[in-house]
Amino acid sequence: MPELMRAIVLDGPGAPDVLKIRDVPRPVATPGWVLLKVHAFGLNRSEFHFRRGLGSFGSFPRIPGIEATGVVVEAPGGEFDAGTQAAALMGGMGRTFDGGYAEYVLVPAANVIPFKSSLDWATLGAVPEMLQTANGSLAIGVNATPGSSLLIRGGTSSIGLALAVLAKRQGMTVVSTTRSPAKTQTLLDAGVDHVVVDSGSVAEDVRAIFPEGVGGAVELVGTPTLKDTLRATAIHGTVCFTGMLSDEWTVKDFYPIDFIPNGVRLTAYSGEASDLPAAVLQDFLEAVEAGHVAVPIGKTYAFDQIVQAHQDMEDGTVTGKLVVTVDGNING
């Protein structure tokens, strides 16, 4: 009989309560793949989309989860030693093969990023995908430079808060938006220089701060606000389309000459594990340990609370990253 593990399984799309905890066979490592003991995993908007059946990616039944953090159990190809702390993310996790919502996850070695840290597992579980997306949006999507200005459209999301932390570490001046004035202090606490309350149009407010427009912007709300974000951006500035908090995937009646202002660049970022170098992850975790930066965790849940966690993500009731801990161990 195969060894069993607890896992959260989706048989098909639906409301949060379609997520079911079951005993399933523990995966067996083969050369080129790495078996991780999962201690924590972060929740991501794309998992909400997958659970709802939105988009054209993935198949059911499936253990979801595009990231997980834990310890290497076995790597038959010799890529990592047993006991190595590691994060696994992207590359089809939780979509085309089973993902991180489980006690163990089997992933291609290329999806694994090793690290060393004494931080608690909830903190470590919050970092990988959030950091990969924020770092990639800045470095690849915007090609940000130290000392420049940045607009974060959707600033109180977990990615938005991580972007603020990274941008301030690069000496950038940061403008972040929120639809709720009550969340202004959250953004200021993350290091944001200017907070703009988002009524659907912020370009005029942003240009009141930067008359020529910001040097770069990361769009996290999605297609409904993209045109306005482009108009808040300076000539030769770059807008990186990264997120879809609005759950609207396409731009209707897209006419580029009307939609994109003269000289403003529009890029996109989705990214893979390879976009998060181990050195960048290690440096960030060490900065957290030293108290130089804070991980924007909104709420931590037990494994058995996965339905509530997804409900909170769907309702948008929590500001910051949602994290699920698989057991009670601390860096075990």
Side-chain angles (χ1 to χ4, degrees):
M1 294 289 293
E3 286 193 62
L4 298 179
M5 68 174 185
R6 290 206 310 162
I8 297 160
V9 181
L10 270 176
D11 293 315
D17 60 5
V18 299
L19 293 159
K20 303 298 184 183
I21 298 177
R22 295 184 186 144
D23 289 334
V24 302
R26 180 177 130 176
V28 177
T30 56
W33 291 68
V34 177
L35 182 65
L36 288 183
K37 171 70 176 79
V38 179
H39 287 290
F41 55 85
L43 300 190
N44 298 280
R45 193 74 178 176
S46 66
E47 294 153 8
F48 158 67
H49 292 151
F50 182 62
R51 194 252 303 155
R52 287 280 303 275
L54 303 175
S56 58
F57 50 80
S59 60
F60 300 102
R62 181 68 59 213
I63 299 171
I66 65 170
E67 67 175 317
T69 306
V71 173
V72 173
V73 175
E74 187 179 5
E79 297 90 351
F80 305 99
D81 293 332
T84 299
Q85 291 178 302
L89 61 153
M90 301 298 287
M93 279 182 68
R95 295 173 178 178
T96 57
F97 61 89
D98 287 336
Y101 285 22
E103 292 181 316
Y104 294 86
V105 65
L106 184 65
V107 297
N111 291 43
V112 178
I113 307 171
F115 63 85
K116 294 181 179 179
S117 179
S118 61
L119 293 168
D120 62 274
W121 284 115
T123 301
L124 293 170
V127 171
E129 178 64 17
M130 182 173 61
L131 181 62
Q132 182 265 130
T133 303
N135 181 70
S137 296
L138 281 179
I140 298 172
V142 175
N143 192 25
T145 56
S148 60
S149 55
L150 180 76
L151 168 63
I152 304 171
R153 193 73 181 261
T156 56
S157 65
S158 61
I159 302 299
L161 292 168
L163 277 163
V165 170
L166 292 183
K168 292 308 298 180
R169 281 174 62 78
Q170 296 182 32
M172 302 178 73
T173 301
V174 177
V175 183
S176 277
T177 71
T178 176
R179 291 178 298 173
S180 171
K183 295 182 178 180
T184 296
Q185 192 59 48
T186 298
L187 293 173
L188 295 174
D189 290 344
V192 169
D193 299 286
H194 305 277
V195 177
V196 173
V197 177
D198 194 343
S199 61
S201 176
V202 302
E204 185 175 335
D205 293 326
V206 171
R207 286 185 177 268
I209 302 168
F210 296 98
E212 300 300 318
V214 289
V218 179
E219 177 61 71
L220 298 173
V221 175
T223 58
T225 56
L226 178 59
K227 189 173 185 178
D228 184 59
T229 297
L230 286 160
R231 277 154 177 71
T233 305
I235 292 175
H236 300 153
T238 300
V239 176
C240 175
F241 188 93
T242 295
M244 291 173 290
L245 294 169
S246 63
D247 299 330
E248 293 188 31
W249 297 58
T250 59
V251 177
K252 297 176 182 177
D253 302 320
F254 178 68
Y255 176 46
I257 290 177
D258 172 67
F259 197 88
I260 305 173
N262 289 339
V264 178
R265 303 179 179 96
L266 174 60
T267 67
Y269 180 77
S270 55
E272 291 291 347
S274 58
D275 293 332
L276 180 58
V280 172
L281 175 59
Q282 188 64 49
D283 176 72
F284 184 83
L285 294 177
E286 290 174 1
V288 174
E289 288 191 57
H292 298 153
V293 298
V295 177
I297 296 176
K299 189 172 180 179
T300 301
Y301 303 83
F303 195 77
D304 293 341
Q305 295 175 304
I306 187 62
V307 171
Q308 184 62 54
H310 259 251
Q311 188 66 62
D312 289 348
M313 177 166 59
E314 185 164 343
D315 294 343
T317 56
V318 178
T319 299
K321 184 75 171 183
L322 279 61
V323 185
V324 173
T325 55
V326 179
D327 53 41
N329 294 339
I330 302 297
N331 281 350

